[in-house]
Amino acid sequence: MTICAGADAATVDGPPRAALTLAADGSYAARLTRHDDAAGSWYPERWTIGGPEPYAVPLPGSQPEEPDSALLPLADGRVVIVRRVADRFTVSLLSPTGPGTQEVLVGAVAATALTLLPPAPGGLHGYALVPTADGTDVWRVHGGAGGPERVAAVPGACTGGVWLDDEGRLLAVDRELASRTKSVVVDLARGGEVSPLLQITAESDDRLVLADPDSGLLLVRSNAPGHDRLGWGVLGSDRPVRFPECLRVPDSAVTPFAVQPGRTLPPQECAVAFQLDGPAGPRLGVWRPSERQLRQFPAPEGWLAGSGRWAPGGALLLPYATTAVPCGVARMAIPLGPVAGVVGRADAQGGAPGAVGRAAVAAEGAEGAEGTAGAEGAVPGGDGADGKVSDGAVPPDRGPMDGEGIVLDAGEKDADLTASPHPEFAGTEPLDDPPHPRMCRPVPLQQAPLATQESRWSAVSGPVSIPPGAVQPVDPATDGTARVASRREPGEVPTRTAASDLTE
């Protein structure tokens, strides 16, 4: 599963959102688009992309939509729409019915601003952040027993929103308190109990951008290295957060939007897709933690920037819309073979998923040794709470994260790297088999050779025409209730992440 935050969250009275929002299971998507008439008015459009061929169904209401209306596609084919009406926000459900659109009013939330969160795991619930005078409320706008309901109150101004588990229970938000922004976990099953998640240094602003609960891979953004940088770490790991130099692209904004699901991959082998916004327009970037290089590719024509997902086979699927193909999905095939010296999540000893085998640990010691020359912008971690997360966010089956400091990756020049103050891993992993698999740790490998070939695009979709007067197709709802069994027990917060370790 891939979980997005930041620009991907549908926002009313906030920053721009992604051009297309995908449902939690990738079966449907929704966006606002314009009519091809002189007025150019806005209307919702639902995409069905989980079948053999994508197609779009317009869901116009009785009047044109405002451009700031927010949409959230559900796994059963319905679409949640949130509209501003005077001093409140109304929540309705849209679905195609015959030649028209069925709209059911769910309720309303009295607020001055409201931000829809990314689709919750399971695909049948919708949540939103609502600012208040004392902090931020978390609302369940769909999926409750009786309309929208407040489920948590968090002190401080909260933004972002990333799901950390497969149950839709643990929500990470970026909270601003005392002029500092730190990521915290909100446990929706415990009345909104809040616990720290990410702190690189006491003075840094540390935000969670993207997470994959299968592998535990985290993408963060922090100014701990001296300026704003993208970094990566692993939920529950005692290794530092690393800030790769290759994720700094001159004259371009680099935004991650999808992580390759890591149920069968260690976190350092999970590919991450980036949107690169530069003077020449949007491009695609693909990167893995084990490869110290960001591959860049031309984006497909008409790509709905900021939207996309990884297919189970490793292909990157990118929705696009052009005049000739108003509803299409481009498939990007990227060679993602394992890096030499790294074993899979189940080693030769039959280790549980999530454990890195002996060969991977040995590879780190042989190939991942870092030089001692100080990298420009390196910031040492402090002691006490600096560079680590409080014990409240650590599950009992994982050891304390006692590493501190920031590790900057200068790309190919190992001599320019800053030595991590962490002790190196022991030569072996524990042989015990804990009741809950341990999250694998990032193994700092040397730069792997990268393919220089450009990817080839193939359209796997085409427009579906509906003759005038014909009934719009109503596709059967997919089963969005099936969930993959969680590897964690109820009530367990999946991480304690030393932000001090998130740099390369």
Side-chain angles (χ1 to χ4, degrees):
M1 178 188 299
T2 297
I3 306 174
C4 301
D8 287 331
T11 305
V12 177
D13 192 27
R17 56 188 178 271
L20 185 76
T21 302
L22 275 67
D25 62 353
S27 56
Y28 295 96
R31 67 166 182 163
L32 282 179
T33 188
R34 290 179 178 271
H35 286 288
D36 294 331
D37 53 19
S41 55
W42 295 89
Y43 69 94
E45 184 179 71
R46 192 201 67 185
W47 289 30
T48 300
I49 56 180
E53 183 175 358
Y55 64 91
V57 175
L59 297 174
S62 57
Q63 61 185 20
E65 301 290 344
E66 295 295 328
D68 63 350
S69 297
L71 302 176
L72 182 70
L74 302 177
D76 60 6
R78 295 176 295 173
V79 176
V80 176
I81 183 169
V82 178
R83 305 181 178 101
R84 178 193 290 276
V85 179
D87 60 347
R88 63 189 58 241
F89 294 89
T90 62
V91 182
S92 300
L93 282 173
L94 305 178
S95 58
T97 172
T101 302
Q102 181 183 35
E103 179 172 338
V104 177
L105 179 65
V106 176
V109 178
T112 58
L114 182 147
T115 301
L116 273 180
L117 292 172
L124 297 178
H125 293 79
Y127 292 85
L129 297 179
V130 175
T132 65
D134 302 326
T136 304
D137 290 343
V138 180
W139 280 73
R140 182 189 294 117
V141 296
H142 177 263
E149 57 180 331
R150 190 180 73 168
V151 295
V154 183
C158 296
T159 56
V162 177
W163 297 101
L164 295 178
D165 65 336
D166 292 326
E167 299 297 323
R169 167 180 177 174
L170 301 175
L171 173 67
V173 295
D174 302 326
R175 179 177 68 174
E176 181 180 354
L177 274 180
S179 301
R180 289 289 178 263
T181 301
K182 305 289 183 183
S183 291
V184 298
V185 178
V186 182
D187 192 334
L188 301 181
R190 293 184 175 178
E193 177 181 299
V194 179
S195 57
L197 174 70
L198 185 64
Q199 177 169 288
I200 298 180
T201 70
E203 301 301 321
S204 60
D205 294 319
D206 311 316
R207 297 175 173 86
L208 182 61
V209 181
L210 203 62
D212 175 48
D214 293 340
S215 64
L217 179 62
L218 300 177
L219 273 295
V220 305
R221 188 179 293 277
S222 174
N223 58 6
H227 48 276
D228 195 59
R229 294 280 295 272
L230 276 173
W232 71 280
V234 179
L235 289 169
S237 172
D238 58 1
R239 295 294 290 171
V241 173
R242 311 178 69 85
F243 293 89
E245 183 68 22
C246 65
L247 296 185
R248 300 175 64 192
V249 181
D251 302 325
S252 294
V254 182
T255 306
F257 65 88
V259 177
Q260 184 183 15
R263 193 160 294 278
T264 60
L265 294 172
Q268 69 271 15
E269 292 304 311
C270 294
V272 182
F274 294 83
Q275 175 185 344
L276 309 178
D277 292 309
R283 287 177 60 85
L284 274 182
V286 177
W287 165 85
R288 291 190 303 180
S290 61
E291 297 177 349
R292 294 181 176 179
Q293 186 170 345
L294 177 67
R295 314 185 200 185
Q296 296 190 33
F297 304 94
E301 181 184 359
W303 176 42
L304 300 177
S307 61
R309 68 183 182 93
W310 291 92
L316 182 59
L317 306 181
L318 301 173
Y320 71 96
T322 64
T323 302
V325 184
C327 175
V329 176
R331 179 182 296 269
M332 181 178 187
I334 303 175
L336 293 173
V339 175
V342 179
V343 299
R345 301 188 64 177
D347 59 15
Q349 299 181 1
V356 179
R358 297 174 184 266
V361 176
E364 179 196 14
E367 300 182 2
E370 297 168 350
T372 58
E376 181 180 357
V379 180
D383 52 10
D386 295 351
K388 45 177 85 171
V389 183
S390 74
D391 293 338
V394 185
D397 63 320
R398 300 190 181 108
M401 302 184 67
D402 47 75
E404 301 170 0
I406 298 174
V407 182
L408 296 174
D409 181 2
E412 301 178 359
K413 300 179 181 179
D414 289 342
D416 292 338
L417 298 181
T418 301
S420 170
H422 287 264
E424 293 295 325
F425 285 144
T428 61
E429 289 285 343
L431 298 180
D432 60 327
D433 188 13
H436 304 288
R438 294 166 60 90
M439 286 292 184
C440 57
R441 303 163 178 170
V443 179
L445 303 174
Q446 290 181 346
Q447 180 180 345
L450 302 178
T452 58
Q453 61 184 6
E454 292 284 335
S455 65
R456 293 183 298 175
W457 298 97
S458 62
V460 296
S461 61
V464 175
S465 60
I466 303 176
V471 176
Q472 295 178 352
V474 180
D475 55 293
T478 60
D479 184 7
T481 60
R483 300 177 180 176
V484 179
S486 174
R487 299 201 303 264
R488 308 182 182 100
E489 289 187 347
E492 181 182 355
V493 178
T495 174
R496 157 193 189 125
T497 299
S500 65
D501 258 320
L502 295 179
T503 354
E504 284 184 324

